[in-house]
Amino acid sequence: MNYWEVLKEIQEICRNSTALGSRSLKYMQRSADIFGGNFSVEKRFSYFDHPEDGREVPCGFFKRFPISNSDRIAMEKCEGVVVVSAIFNDHDKIRQPKGIGSKTLDYVCFFMFVDDVTLKGLNHHNLISRKSKEYKIGAWRVIRVSSEHLYENAAMNGVIPKYLIHRLFPNSKYSIWVDAKLQLDIDPLLLIHSLVIKDNVDMAISRHPYYVHTMEEAMATARWKKWWDVDELKTQMETYCEHGLQPWTPKKAYPTDVPDSALILRKHSMTTNLFSCLLFNELEAFNPRDQLPFAFVRDHMNPRVNLNMFDVEVFEQVAVEYRHNLKPGGPNVGPKIKKANSDLFANGSCSKCEKYLLKMWG
């Protein structure tokens, strides 16, 4: 299909919202000191099996997401396709999408969430004026998030727009999450059509270029210090092993257990929204490394999410990846509470994951 045919089809789908499924999630409403509610293991896992009666699901927002009212209204007005990204702690540059069709900006919203540290950098480079109440850079509407009222860790704050996109944009029908290190090379309408609508799936995400087992990613996370608390990583993996995490095999319905989550395309259906809520709850419980709970949530939730895990070669054709901004002392990825051993199983065997490891290593 050409651009104009795709545009017309997506317009028709968005006009008829029932095309995305009549069932919707009910979200738990209450006040708490922590944005995500801080639920126990048993409580979080109890929501994986979602009954027909549609009981309420915990999905963040137990305290206010700190943005301006004008930005909130603009987000609620986005009723078709939304493209979302975020930069916290001035970790990346704002990159303009390429290959945009002549009518795309009339039907696709672009929102970039930033904190005050990033906003200060944008002002320093004369990309915005701090005197303005609303910020726009190219295609992106820039949303200031008062992150001192959220999580101490910048990466965890970035997880909110990444996985709770359906709550921030309640009227959008489709969304694309783009890590700020990426630059889109293809029109977002064409991406949504070719990777989600055409394949009739709930969500599309790239496979990891190297790993297929969750434990491989966990070991790499520890080895390369992508998260500093290795004891917490070990606890997380043991928790999942104890509750049924299995290594990838060709018998699974998916080609891998490890995604490259820099680019996520979603239809805002009930199952996709449920998956996003459940995964966010795991990230808040442990750490913002979203590849670690991905397969566990995907394989244990009911109903199952209909997922297109596309080839790495597709990812390389639709986006260009850049390196993050360099920071003195390295990236602020986690609480540097101690000098962590880079071996996930350095202090003895991981008995709860022994069966997993034996299967993974054959």
Side-chain angles (χ1 to χ4, degrees):
M1 295 180 72
N2 64 33
Y3 171 79
W4 297 105
E5 291 171 328
V6 167
L7 175 62
K8 182 179 179 181
E9 182 175 343
I10 292 179
Q11 285 176 319
E12 290 176 355
I13 292 173
C14 291
R15 276 195 292 266
N16 179 18
S17 60
T18 57
L20 303 188
S22 57
R23 290 183 61 194
S24 60
L25 283 184
K26 300 174 183 176
Y27 302 112
M28 189 178 292
Q29 307 286 336
R30 75 176 197 199
S31 297
D33 295 331
I34 299 177
F35 182 83
N38 192 26
F39 292 89
S40 67
V41 171
E42 293 75 16
K43 193 70 173 175
R44 296 196 314 274
F45 291 177
S46 71
Y47 293 99
F48 276 48
D49 192 359
H50 191 67
E52 290 289 333
D53 62 7
R55 66 170 173 157
E56 292 183 343
V57 175
C59 195
F61 294 89
F62 293 108
K63 61 189 300 187
R64 182 180 176 273
F65 188 63
I67 59 175
S68 71
N69 287 332
S70 61
D71 286 336
R72 195 182 308 276
I73 291 170
M75 290 157 59
E76 291 176 354
K77 286 181 178 179
C78 184
E79 297 182 347
V81 178
V82 62
V83 180
V84 177
S85 189
I87 304 174
F88 289 91
N89 203 34
D90 199 25
H91 200 45
D92 292 280
K93 297 177 176 64
I94 293 182
R95 310 185 193 281
Q96 296 303 323
K98 297 165 63 177
I100 298 295
S102 59
K103 292 292 184 181
T104 296
L105 292 180
D106 295 335
Y107 297 100
V108 179
C109 317
F110 288 80
F111 284 87
M112 174 72 69
F113 293 86
V114 303
D115 60 0
D116 285 327
V117 175
T118 306
L119 209 61
K120 184 178 179 181
L122 296 174
N123 182 61
H124 175 75
H125 293 290
N126 296 317
L127 293 171
I128 61 164
S129 170
R130 294 296 293 270
K131 296 179 181 178
S132 175
K133 293 183 179 179
E134 297 179 3
Y135 309 113
K136 190 80 182 287
I137 301 177
W140 298 98
R141 175 162 177 155
V142 178
I143 307 294
R144 174 185 175 266
V145 181
S146 182
S147 55
E148 67 268 18
H149 299 298
L150 291 173
Y151 297 100
E152 183 179 348
N153 179 256
M156 190 62 212
N157 288 327
V159 162
I160 297 172
K162 185 173 186 176
Y163 281 100
L164 303 187
I165 193 170
H166 59 290
R167 299 213 60 190
L168 292 169
F169 299 89
N171 298 313
S172 295
K173 310 303 185 297
Y174 295 94
S175 67
I176 302 178
W177 165 264
V178 184
D179 269 13
K181 64 181 179 180
L182 299 184
Q183 181 180 35
L184 280 184
D185 260 357
I186 304 293
D187 187 286
L189 294 173
L190 298 178
L191 285 178
I192 285 288
H193 189 272
S194 62
L195 296 175
V196 178
I197 296 174
K198 183 180 176 183
D199 290 341
N200 193 28
V201 297
D202 297 307
M203 187 167 76
I205 192 168
S206 173
R207 308 173 194 180
H208 194 280
Y210 308 117
Y211 306 137
V212 296
H213 301 293
T214 300
M215 200 66 72
E216 290 178 304
E217 176 63 27
M219 291 174 174
T221 299
R223 183 182 307 119
W224 300 112
K225 295 180 173 60
K226 297 179 181 180
W227 186 255
W228 288 83
D229 192 345
V230 176
D231 286 344
E232 184 190 71
L233 288 173
K234 184 176 179 180
T235 299
Q236 181 179 16
M237 289 300 98
E238 288 181 331
T239 300
Y240 295 154
C241 288
E242 185 179 9
H243 288 84
L245 177 68
Q246 296 293 323
W248 180 84
T249 71
K251 294 181 180 179
K252 285 197 174 186
Y254 310 98
T256 179
D257 279 353
V258 187
D260 184 335
S261 61
L263 182 68
I264 308 174
L265 302 96
R266 298 178 179 93
K267 175 173 68 174
H268 288 190
S269 63
M270 188 279 288
T271 49
T272 312
N273 297 345
L274 177 63
F275 173 83
S276 297
C277 293
L278 297 175
L279 197 121
F280 174 82
N281 294 337
E282 294 307 303
L283 300 178
E284 193 207 44
F286 291 109
N287 57 71
R289 303 299 305 176
D290 57 347
Q291 292 153 311
L292 301 182
F294 179 88
F296 181 81
V297 173
R298 180 200 66 188
D299 294 346
H300 285 80
M301 65 176 283
N302 180 39
R304 293 288 183 94
V305 62
N306 192 5
L307 186 61
N308 172 17
M309 299 193 74
F310 52 85
D311 291 329
V312 177
E313 290 78 10
V314 175
F315 175 83
E316 293 171 344
Q317 291 296 315
V318 303
V320 178
E321 186 170 350
Y322 295 85
R323 69 186 300 173
H324 296 297
N325 293 342
L326 296 178
K327 294 284 186 180
N332 176 25
V333 295
K336 300 178 183 179
I337 56 175
K338 60 185 176 182
K339 182 69 174 178
N341 192 308
S342 61
D343 187 349
L344 192 61
F345 307 121
N347 299 321
S349 65
C350 181
S351 59
K352 293 179 181 177
C353 289
E354 185 175 0
K355 290 182 179 179
Y356 182 107
L357 293 169
L358 289 172
K359 275 187 180 181
M360 184 178 81
W361 288 326

